[in-house]
Amino acid sequence: MGEHSAGGHSAGRGPREPRGGPGRRALLVGGAAGALGVGGYAARDTLSRWWWRYSGSETPRVEGEVDHAGAEWVPASSANYRQASRPRDYGIDRVVIHMPEATYPITLRVFQDPGHGAATHYVVRSADGHIAQLARELDVAYHAGHQGFNERSVGIEHEGWADRPEYLTDAMYESSARLVAGICDRYGIPVDREHIVGHNEVPDVVRVCPGPHWDWDRYIELVRRAAGAA
């Protein structure tokens, strides 16, 4: 569930935006973020990046506005993401698929806890595919446990547990696929396994989710069909 760790300040990184962190299940159950030292961040163009960071924080926002039609706005704590102006300041070229090891309501509650230190942009409910949006896509949610991936990606949690395939319903797969098809269309992201990845595939991060039962072949095909129908 998100990156589940806490870190210090550095250029281009929020106070709770580390490069890696402890296990997802441990911090969900424990309800606290672990401490992790943070090294320096080497920006390619420091002045430019700081300019975009400050301008992004002033981008007008409408309370309750969502990026995906039909999503319910359930805002995460502002401590669990940072304001930006993506894709102007950070290009978006990845979607990261998560599984929280928790139910839908608990997942929302955890991401609304300012002490948790993590949140995704979306959470998809198992039973009916209902989608909650917790952070705007223009903002950097702390979900991947890796600064670079946080800045370049949209994170999506799917209610359930990695070892309980009964949570992977047709409704969840299909709703998530429509969501991802829209994200890919908005940012010109190719619909393939290089650009739509599991949290376990993020560099320097040790995770299991979305787990061995997640059907990637089926999912990518559903995203492609949804993209073709859009």
Side-chain angles (χ1 to χ4, degrees), residues 213-226:
H213 299 290
W214 185 268
D215 190 337
W216 280 109
D217 290 341
R218 175 188 180 189
Y219 186 65
I220 294 297
E221 181 58 29
L222 286 170
V223 176
R224 288 174 177 156
R225 289 181 188 175

Side-chain angles (χ1 to χ4, degrees), residues 52-53 55-59 61 82-90 137-140:
W52 289 125
R53 183 180 176 193
S55 65
S57 69
E58 298 173 358
T59 300
R61 288 161 170 77
R82 63 179 163 89
Q83 290 189 340
S85 187
R86 302 190 309 167
R88 186 174 66 172
D89 47 1
Y90 303 107
E137 291 174 8
L138 56 83
D139 293 328
V140 176

Side-chain angles (χ1 to χ4, degrees), residues 27-230:
L27 281 171
L28 172 63
V29 175
L36 179 69
V38 176
Y41 179 68
R44 288 175 297 178
D45 185 340
T46 303
L47 290 176
S48 175
R49 292 182 70 88
W50 276 97
W51 165 257
W52 289 125
R53 183 180 176 193
Y54 279 112
S55 65
S57 69
E58 298 173 358
T59 300
R61 288 161 170 77
V62 177
E63 181 63 29
E65 187 175 38
V66 295
D67 297 296
H68 178 71
E72 176 187 7
W73 178 246
V74 184
S77 168
S78 60
N80 298 335
Y81 68 92
R82 63 179 163 89
Q83 290 189 340
S85 187
R86 302 190 309 167
R88 186 174 66 172
D89 47 1
Y90 303 107
I92 300 174
D93 65 359
R94 294 291 189 279
V95 176
V96 180
I97 303 300
H98 298 267
M99 186 163 285
E101 305 287 308
T103 63
Y104 176 85
I106 289 177
T107 302
L108 297 182
R109 192 157 63 244
V110 168
F111 289 159
Q112 291 176 315
D113 176 3
H116 184 63
T120 50
H121 293 90
Y122 296 97
V123 179
V124 186
R125 192 161 61 198
S126 173
D128 57 3
H130 179 72
I131 295 172
Q133 182 166 1
L134 288 85
R136 291 291 306 279
E137 291 174 8
L138 56 83
D139 293 328
V140 176
Y142 305 155
H143 67 95
H146 184 289
Q147 180 188 337
F149 261 74
N150 285 343
E151 292 171 349
R152 73 191 299 180
S153 68
V154 174
I156 306 172
E157 291 276 7
H158 298 79
E159 179 184 19
W161 284 259
D163 59 353
R164 297 178 62 179
E166 64 269 24
Y167 276 88
L168 300 176
T169 63
D170 292 343
M172 174 186 278
Y173 272 126
E174 291 165 5
S175 177
S176 178
R178 290 190 294 271
L179 169 62
V180 172
I183 293 168
C184 290
D185 180 64
R186 280 191 285 281
Y187 305 109
I189 302 172
V191 179
D192 58 34
R193 287 286 285 116
E194 179 181 352
H195 297 85
I196 303 171
V197 302
H199 195 188
N200 61 312
E201 297 171 303
V202 173
D204 306 320
V205 172
V206 179
R207 297 292 191 271
V208 174
C209 74
H213 299 290
W214 185 268
D215 190 337
W216 280 109
D217 290 341
R218 175 188 180 189
Y219 186 65
I220 294 297
E221 181 58 29
L222 286 170
V223 176
R224 288 174 177 156
R225 289 181 188 175

